[in-house]
Amino acid sequence: MEYWLPIIYMGIMGLALLIYVMLDGYDLGVGLLLPLAEEDEKDMMIASIGPFWDANETWIVLGVGILLIAFPLAHGIILSGLYLPVTIMLMGLMLRGVAFDLRVKAGDHHRGRWNKAFFAGSLIASTAQGWMLGAYITGLQDNITSLLFSALIAMTLPALYLILGCGWLLMKTEGALLDKAISWGRMAIWPMGLGLFMVSVATPMVSPAIAAKWFTLPYTILLLPIPLSCIICYVAIFILLGKPNILRHGYGWLIYAATAVICLMASLGLAYSIFPDIIIGHMTIWDAAASVKSLQFTLVGVVITLPAILFYTFFMYRIFHGKATALSYE
């Protein structure tokens, strides 16, 4: 049990953060796309994420909460090393929350200002999350290589969110806005592909430990399904965006699903790359874990909380499935 408890907590934390990227990623993507739409289209875009966006952020709270409870030593080091980008991310998320509410209550005269604020909050949160991921992969090092790699991820992650946002709009909207989502997807697919390629090339270069894990036989062959799956999904997205008639007939969900698979494969690759470390090259999950009794005690709460959040998420998406309807300010 002493061996398996940290692994269980690490798995749950990874799952929570993966679900966060898949879910909050699309509403961050919709926020990034907001300036490209007409005024009435912006209302429809906001309506498409209205019932979901706040609840989506629950998953990052769960992930960070597990880090604090299960790995207190790593929690202090990671959040200290990422203090500035975490603060910037929280400011972006708060700006989104304020803008989401005030764009409704401020009236037509000020709605444009809050739309810009919603976009700004989405951009700030997305780039900050990318920077945090890049800094984490490089072991929280404070050198030029780490800074450049963090900047690369900070530019790449918003492009991934844009494709998730386009996929979401293809599922939730119709008519002219759906056609615009296809056009936006065609523009975003290029920087997303370039970013993923550059990250794939740069990651083993900035981390010798990760390079050794990926480029040693027979692991290189065994791990091939991960990059191959990402390539297949990327090509599928590219092809589908070139066939608007298919997307107009209710198959827009394929764009979102293929992007979600890329997120899943990237997460599995990252998990393999860092395990058993929780801070690459510095601390394993067993070094950072709380006492066995503490882990056993809190596991009861996690076993109750995780299924409850999963059920609530499934129930909410089941209730609000289908096409979005126009906002009403009456």
Side-chain angles (χ1 to χ4, degrees), residues 86-98:
V86 167
T87 302
I88 293 173
M89 180 193 72
L90 292 176
M91 291 174 64
L93 294 177
M94 286 189 290
L95 180 59
R96 274 168 49 88
V98 171

Side-chain angles (χ1 to χ4, degrees), residues 32 85 88-89 120-133 150-151 153-158 161:
L32 293 172
I88 293 173
M89 180 193 72
S122 301
L123 181 61
I124 291 169
S126 300
T127 53
Q129 289 173 11
W131 187 280
M132 291 159 57
L133 178 59
S150 299
I153 306 291
M155 292 185 291
T156 301
L157 195 61
Y161 287 168

Side-chain angles (χ1 to χ4, degrees), residues 143-199:
N143 53 49
I144 188 63
T145 301
S146 178
L147 294 175
L148 290 174
F149 186 73
S150 299
L152 173 62
I153 306 291
M155 292 185 291
T156 301
L157 195 61
L160 177 66
Y161 287 168
L162 283 171
I163 295 296
L164 283 170
C166 290
W168 180 255
L169 291 176
L170 291 174
M171 292 190 292
K172 301 295 289 185
T173 64
E174 50 194 355
L177 183 53
L178 186 147
D179 290 336
K180 284 190 176 182
I182 297 173
S183 176
W184 297 334
R186 289 172 181 166
M187 291 188 293
I189 193 67
W190 291 104
M192 172 187 159
L194 178 61
L196 290 175
F197 174 76
M198 293 176 65
V199 169

Side-chain angles (χ1 to χ4, degrees), residues 215-297:
F215 299 108
T216 304
L217 292 174
Y219 302 108
T220 301
I221 298 173
L222 294 175
L223 293 168
L224 273 178
I226 292 178
L228 286 178
S229 298
C230 291
I231 292 171
I232 291 170
C233 288
Y234 179 83
V235 172
I237 295 170
F238 187 86
I239 292 173
L240 284 169
L241 288 172
K243 298 184 180 296
N245 288 333
I246 294 177
L247 299 176
R248 294 189 190 105
H249 283 82
Y251 291 96
W253 63 271
L254 290 171
I255 301 291
Y256 184 87
T259 313
V261 171
I262 291 176
C263 295
L264 173 61
M265 291 297 105
S267 298
L268 291 175
L270 178 61
Y272 169 78
S273 298
I274 67 174
F275 185 82
D277 290 351
I278 192 168
I279 302 177
I280 299 175
H282 295 282
M283 187 179 294
T284 69
I285 57 176
W286 296 283
D287 295 331
S291 68
V292 174
K293 288 186 177 180
S294 296
L295 294 178
Q296 289 174 334
F297 177 77

